[in-house]
Amino acid sequence: MSLIIKHQNIKRIVFPAFMLSASFVWGQKGVNDSVKTNTKDIDEVVIIGYGKVKKSDLTGSVSSVSAKDLAATPAMNALQALQGRAAGLNIVTAGGAPGASANVTIRGGSSITQSSDPLYIVDGFQLDNALNVINPNDIESIDVLKGASAIAIYGARGSNGIIVIKTKSGKKGRTVINYNTFMSFDMLSKKLDMISSSEQFVKYQYELAQLQGKTTQWSNVFDNSLGTDTPGFNAGAFKRIADRYGSVAALDWQEKMLGGTGLTQNHNLNVSVGNDKTQAFISYNYNKQDGLLQNSSETRNSLRANINSELYKGVRVDFNTMFTNNSVNGGGSYSGMKKILLQPITGGTLFTDDQLFNTQTFPDYSALDSGFDTENPFIETQASTSNKKTRTFVANAGIEFDFLKNFTWRTAGQYSWTNSKSTSFSDQNSRAFLTDPVNTGINGNIANAESYRYQITNTLNYNKTFGEKHKVNALIGNEIWYEESEGSSMRLIKFPYPNFGLDDIGNATVADKNTDRSSNSLLSYFARVNYNYDNRYLITGTFRADGSSKFAEGSRWGYFPSVAGAWRVSQENFWKDHKINNYFNDFKLRVEYGVTGNNGISNNLWRTNVLLTDYPMNNTQGYPAYVTSTNWGNPYLQWEELRTTNIGVDMAFFNSRIKLTSEWYNNNVSQMLFQSIIPVSTGYSRQYQNIGSMRNRGMEFTLNTINVKSSNFRWTTDLNISFNKSKVMSLESGQLNKTFSVGGSRTGMVTYYATVGEQLGDMYGYVYQGVYTTDDFNQNADGTLSLKPGVVKPSSGTPKPGDMKFAADNEAGDQFTRKMQKIGNGTPDFIGGISNNFSYKGFDLAVFMKFSVGNDIYNATKQSLSPYAMFQNVPSEFGNNYYHLIDPNTGLATTNLARLKELNPNEASNLWSLSNTNTANIAYPSSYYVENGSYLRIAQVTLGYSFAKEFLSKVMMSNARIYFTVSNLATITGYSGYDPEVTAASGVTVTPGYDSSTYPRSRSYVLGLNLTF
């Protein structure tokens, strides 16, 4: 039973539900205690580039998430735990498969064609994909840096925003041991509504067969191979179907393939020990998630240790190391969802139900209809397997010492190494073998990749207070960053036997082999000055210079300055002495402006590469030759440039019982790095150039309230909401749009446009206007049909009742010519999350919801399920409502308008018929497949109980908590697919809202235990 709630008017219900939670603020002592100063809030520390500041002294735009917030979500990785909890941060996972990737953007990203992934900084060092790599139990805090003052200190690497992660470390005092564990039972949260009646399915198949001229093939499967020339074959078909299939149960493929229970288990153990001089921390995490689909799983082991020590007074050292070993079966995704949905639900007279499910029926069905392309998913997931193993090792070390009273020098370095191996193998039952047993046969792939990176950072920090009111903090530094990677891959075919899998590659044939190697480096110098006058006026100035090997000599250096200022109005005497301070106790204004860059392109694009090939001479192969690549190098390539303006307001009321942060930003990107198509007369087809510009502009709000606060009961609410609007300002000279096609004719295809003056995410296709009805035609004397004047003509041919009708797009407005029109936009108007936390004595309850409003989804899954081949199932939405052309009395197609009207009494609301014309039409990108993707999801509900201190002291524990969590409890949405949270590609902002056979998310029931000794 699905708990996804359909609601078309989600825009009307979002705000009242959120605002209600923040409408009540009271406590045991009432609001009169609000004039007291909340020193804890003032002293809260935020991690910024190469340092940290008190939150009250912050001049830039930063969103923070604490370890407590992350711990509220039992999750495989920090990506899942962070979703919806920080304003301006949008995380969309690519389905519910174990190990699935995610698209992470901050304020819409800063590029059209290049990566939008933010920079991840872990304990001062860059670590790619950190939210997937770091054990969430090891995270102390996450700070999302968004404004110019915060990101400019990282220069080139910070243009897409920065996520700064501080991990846990040892504490002074007694040894503390923590053990956290949870077990999750995962179940399918929703099933798509497909034809589920055997009788209805076989009747649908009969009509399809008649219209496609394949009644013999239909009979071979469903009518015991009865000859089509048998008297009464057509006229009696519907009665025979009813008699034979009226009581025949149908196979539920979704239940068979995804209806089980996946098990996730997590175990985390950490130990903290320390004295006044030295502190140490060590943790181990084991996480295993079994997917709903067989042979899909993820297993993660991670070990982390750090030590901090003061060797002498003013001399400190630190060392941090981490190792993770991750294994994903199934590739972290699944492209076969449509194959599950399209499977025939009865084998008719050809297969029993057991044969239909447990044998590879693909050869039999495809022999009867070449368009049939849906191999048995149960057999295929056993016959074609894949695995990716990734190992990551990271070691950081640093030393710092104080000198001359106000100076601190720090030298730190990092070395990281990553190795991955991806394998796949398809045996004799796989589709790859069955479609080409001679040339391909049993086959497999092996790919290895290895990379290493080092970073060395030197900083000098100066910190001094003059005359009690003037505080100066200055920082200068330089950094060296180097990365090298290499990889190789082999495609292997014609294994003689499947028994040994890829261990038998010596007996296989190498079909393809590739190697790749690259490196790049960055040399940087940076400086920052913070000035604080009397805790009222705050100024920050930053400058960074980056030199990148990705650009040619003369273009390598980019220079990135920023300036920010803040005024703590509430610290002024006129404010503190006024009665307004009794309830409005903190008010700060911030403004910042700065420049960052982006070099997120492949290496060596500034030079023209030469490729080794084979040149035959005298009909003999084996003569090496060199040819230029299709990409013409551009030595004048330079940095993309991002200019950022941010205005922020921080407010607190009633002793910080209500805190509100508001941000307005304007990000302008110029000199974008595009792969441009160039005239073939140059001898090349493409060249990277600095062309085009775009803008992201928006607002963000973060609201934190303590609604109720008494001796036994507490209720708090945290709400964040983000609005972002992109706009393409310019493209190549004379070019008004750039297109990006996603998908294929059988998987569902749509084209995205980046158009000058418009927002990113525009979907283009044809405007669907229902079907041609009998009212659109005249019946001629000879029985033929002719289209009435004024009715839109199709792009080609003569239409019939039941054919798909598309809106006219010519100047006269009377014909459809297949001119692309805008049919939707995948970018939301706003996103956010809200968390309500309740505690009563030892009990705690947390309810977390997240939402997205105003975005469209191109439901390519629905398009791929439209009827294009026999023996395949279709959604009930179509199967219950398609336009009937077959007269059940005769079993043959009719063109009589009166009879068609009788067969389709509500024809204006019917979907298209099963004619051959529509088999071609369904491949068109159409507005029919565009749906409202807005949603409000109850993402997690957790009920916990912490045992009393009196009991814990008897069993020698300091803390013990048990909890129960339901994840993905319910979703209010108008979207008909599995889940409205979809993404077309990781790290790309131009193609949002594309859903093609996405692995469905599960509903999880979690039991957890936290113990501290």
Side-chain angles (χ1 to χ4, degrees), residues 589-609:
L589 300 174
R590 295 179 281 103
V591 62
E592 54 186 313
Y593 174 82
V595 181
T596 60
N598 184 7
N599 67 336
I601 56 174
S602 300
N603 301 323
N604 300 316
L605 292 176
W606 58 273
R607 64 175 68 177
T608 303
N609 292 326

Side-chain angles (χ1 to χ4, degrees), residues 128-427:
D128 292 343
N129 201 25
L131 293 176
N132 247 334
V133 175
I134 296 290
N135 170 18
N137 294 280
D138 287 345
I139 296 176
E140 182 72 30
S141 65
I142 295 178
D143 294 297
V144 182
L145 313 185
K146 300 172 291 185
S149 177
I151 65 178
I153 192 65
Y154 287 103
R157 296 179 293 162
S159 60
N160 285 316
I162 302 166
I163 297 179
V164 179
I165 300 172
K166 182 181 183 299
T167 61
K168 295 176 181 177
S169 58
K171 306 296 182 184
K172 298 177 183 179
R174 68 179 183 87
T175 299
V176 177
I177 301 174
N178 287 288
Y179 173 67
N180 303 320
T181 184
F182 68 81
M183 184 169 290
S184 173
F185 303 91
D186 309 323
M187 303 176 186
L188 185 65
S189 61
K190 177 185 179 181
K191 290 166 62 175
L192 297 191
D193 193 9
M194 308 292 291
I195 290 181
S196 57
S197 161
S198 293
E199 180 181 352
Q200 182 188 8
F201 175 72
V202 178
K203 285 181 177 179
Y204 157 80
Q205 290 293 323
Y206 177 81
E207 178 148 350
L208 183 63
Q210 276 287 352
L211 295 173
Q212 293 192 354
K214 298 177 180 178
T215 49
T216 298
Q217 292 91 321
W218 175 87
S219 178
N220 288 340
V221 175
F222 299 111
D223 208 5
N224 213 20
S225 298
L226 182 68
T228 57
D229 57 353
T230 302
F233 176 86
N234 295 315
F238 278 71
K239 184 178 186 306
R240 294 197 306 276
I241 293 171
D243 292 343
R244 177 173 287 150
Y245 295 98
S247 59
V248 172
L251 272 181
D252 186 340
W253 281 91
Q254 293 180 86
E255 182 65 28
K256 286 278 191 178
M257 295 295 297
L258 301 164
T261 300
L263 180 64
T264 299
Q265 54 179 316
N266 178 283
H267 303 276
N268 189 85
L269 178 68
N270 63 63
V271 179
S272 172
V273 60
N275 55 36
D276 290 340
K277 291 290 186 179
T278 303
Q279 302 86 43
F281 181 89
I282 185 169
S283 73
Y284 169 73
N285 177 255
Y286 171 81
N287 212 325
K288 173 70 181 295
Q289 180 184 12
D290 292 321
L292 299 178
L293 191 72
Q294 65 174 342
N295 292 330
S296 67
S297 64
E298 180 181 16
T299 304
R300 182 192 303 268
N301 285 273
S302 64
L303 180 66
R304 183 176 159 274
N306 66 44
I307 187 170
N308 300 278
S309 182
E310 186 175 21
L311 297 181
Y312 308 100
K313 184 177 181 180
V315 179
R316 297 169 295 276
V317 296
D318 54 87
F319 179 75
N320 191 335
T321 185
M322 178 191 73
F323 177 77
T324 63
N325 184 14
N326 195 49
S327 178
V328 177
N329 289 314
S333 62
Y334 179 58
S335 60
M337 281 306 303
K338 80 161 194 167
K339 302 182 191 304
I340 294 176
L341 299 167
L342 286 173
Q343 286 301 305
I345 60 176
T346 177
T349 57
L350 183 62
F351 297 112
T352 66
D353 283 355
D354 182 70
Q355 292 171 330
L356 186 63
F357 185 72
N358 290 296
T359 60
Q360 182 56 283
T361 55
F362 171 71
D364 302 272
Y365 283 124
S366 60
L368 293 168
D369 184 357
S370 59
F372 186 91
D373 61 351
T374 56
E375 64 274 8
N376 184 319
F378 178 69
I379 301 301
E380 188 68 21
T381 51
Q382 300 173 71
S384 296
T385 57
S386 65
N387 174 265
K388 182 176 182 179
K389 290 184 171 65
T390 305
R391 299 175 179 87
T392 301
F393 171 76
V394 180
N396 306 334
I399 181 170
E400 65 181 29
F401 57 92
D402 304 328
F403 64 99
L404 298 179
K405 190 176 180 179
N406 303 114
F407 290 89
T408 299
W409 174 270
R410 177 172 172 82
T411 295
Q414 180 198 64
Y415 176 85
S416 64
W417 168 85
T418 299
N419 174 269
S420 66
K421 181 179 182 180
S422 301
T423 59
S424 64
F425 188 77
S426 298
D427 67 20

Side-chain angles (χ1 to χ4, degrees), residues 2 4 6 189-193 341 857 859 861-862 877 931-932 971 973-982 995 998 1000:
S2 172
I4 290 191
K6 300 194 74 173
S189 61
K190 177 185 179 181
K191 290 166 62 175
L192 297 191
D193 193 9
L341 299 167
I857 296 175
N859 192 343
T861 303
K862 181 190 287 188
E877 177 184 347
E931 301 184 37
N932 181 1
T971 303
T973 183
Y975 183 56
S976 66
Y978 274 119
D979 195 280
E981 186 182 330
V982 294
D995 181 10
T998 300

Side-chain angles (χ1 to χ4, degrees), residues 658-676:
I658 300 177
K659 294 187 291 184
L660 175 65
T661 295
S662 305
E663 309 272 2
W664 176 88
Y665 62 88
N666 186 48
N667 296 344
N668 288 285
V669 187
S670 59
Q671 301 182 159
M672 288 192 294
L673 293 162
F674 268 113
Q675 187 180 49
S676 178

Side-chain angles (χ1 to χ4, degrees), residues 781-842:
D782 61 357
T784 61
L785 304 177
S786 58
L787 203 62
K788 290 181 178 179
V791 179
V792 175
K793 296 186 287 292
S795 59
S796 62
T798 302
K800 303 179 294 298
D803 283 358
M804 298 176 76
K805 182 191 290 185
F806 296 100
D809 51 31
N810 63 336
E811 289 187 7
D814 62 352
Q815 185 171 3
F816 166 59
T817 67
R818 294 188 63 181
K819 178 182 178 182
M820 290 278 190
Q821 301 183 59
K822 182 178 176 180
I823 56 175
N825 186 283
T827 305
D829 294 333
F830 59 92
I831 59 172
I834 181 171
S835 177
N836 280 285
N837 298 279
F838 308 86
S839 63
Y840 176 71
K841 295 185 177 179

Side-chain angles (χ1 to χ4, degrees), residues 419-440:
N419 174 269
S420 66
K421 181 179 182 180
S422 301
T423 59
S424 64
F425 188 77
S426 298
D427 67 20
Q428 73 278 5
N429 291 315
S430 68
R431 175 177 176 170
F433 176 91
L434 294 170
T435 53
D436 189 5
V438 176
N439 297 314
T440 300

Side-chain angles (χ1 to χ4, degrees), residues 487-704:
S488 62
S489 63
M490 284 193 303
R491 179 171 173 261
L492 301 151
I493 59 175
K494 300 181 182 179
F495 283 84
Y497 307 104
N499 307 58
F500 302 102
L502 291 174
D503 293 333
D504 192 28
I505 64 174
N507 291 317
T509 300
V510 178
D512 297 296
K513 56 183 178 181
N514 294 285
T515 60
D516 178 64
R517 183 174 181 176
S518 65
S519 63
N520 76 90
S521 58
L522 199 69
L523 175 63
S524 307
Y525 301 92
F526 51 89
R528 178 177 61 216
V529 177
N530 293 320
Y531 172 70
N532 179 333
Y533 174 72
D534 197 25
N535 292 322
R536 289 184 289 162
Y537 309 114
L538 310 168
I539 298 175
T540 301
T542 303
F543 180 81
R544 181 164 177 133
D546 282 324
S548 173
S549 65
K550 292 187 177 183
F551 303 111
E553 290 284 353
S555 302
R556 287 183 171 168
W557 285 93
Y559 304 97
F560 311 112
S562 76
V563 63
W567 177 25
R568 296 192 65 198
V569 183
S570 54
Q571 291 298 104
E572 299 286 357
N573 291 331
F574 69 79
W575 188 281
K576 292 191 291 185
D577 295 339
H578 194 276
K579 62 181 181 181
I580 192 174
N581 194 44
N582 293 337
Y583 53 89
F584 193 172
N585 58 280
D586 192 24
F587 182 32
K588 182 168 72 172
L589 300 174
R590 295 179 281 103
V591 62
E592 54 186 313
Y593 174 82
V595 181
T596 60
N598 184 7
N599 67 336
I601 56 174
S602 300
N603 301 323
N604 300 316
L605 292 176
W606 58 273
R607 64 175 68 177
T608 303
N609 292 326
V610 178
L611 307 176
L612 177 64
T613 187
D614 186 86
Y615 186 78
M617 295 180 64
N618 298 323
N619 295 322
T620 303
Q621 301 285 339
Y623 293 90
Y626 292 92
V627 296
T628 56
S629 66
T630 58
N631 188 76
W632 189 13
N634 182 359
Y636 302 105
L637 275 181
Q638 55 185 306
W639 299 85
E640 278 190 0
E641 190 173 84
L642 169 66
R643 296 180 177 270
T644 299
T645 302
N646 192 95
I647 299 173
V649 180
D650 302 320
M651 294 179 286
F653 305 88
F654 308 118
N655 191 28
S656 297
R657 294 279 294 275
I658 300 177
K659 294 187 291 184
L660 175 65
T661 295
S662 305
E663 309 272 2
W664 176 88
Y665 62 88
N666 186 48
N667 296 344
N668 288 285
V669 187
S670 59
Q671 301 182 159
M672 288 192 294
L673 293 162
F674 268 113
Q675 187 180 49
S676 178
I677 298 175
I678 58 178
V680 294
S681 58
T682 62
Y684 304 88
S685 59
R686 293 175 175 83
Q687 184 186 54
Y688 271 86
Q689 299 176 355
N690 290 102
I691 51 177
S693 59
M694 65 171 288
R695 182 187 73 198
N696 273 305
R697 180 180 290 174
M699 298 189 71
E700 299 167 357
F701 301 93
T702 301
L703 177 67
N704 310 105

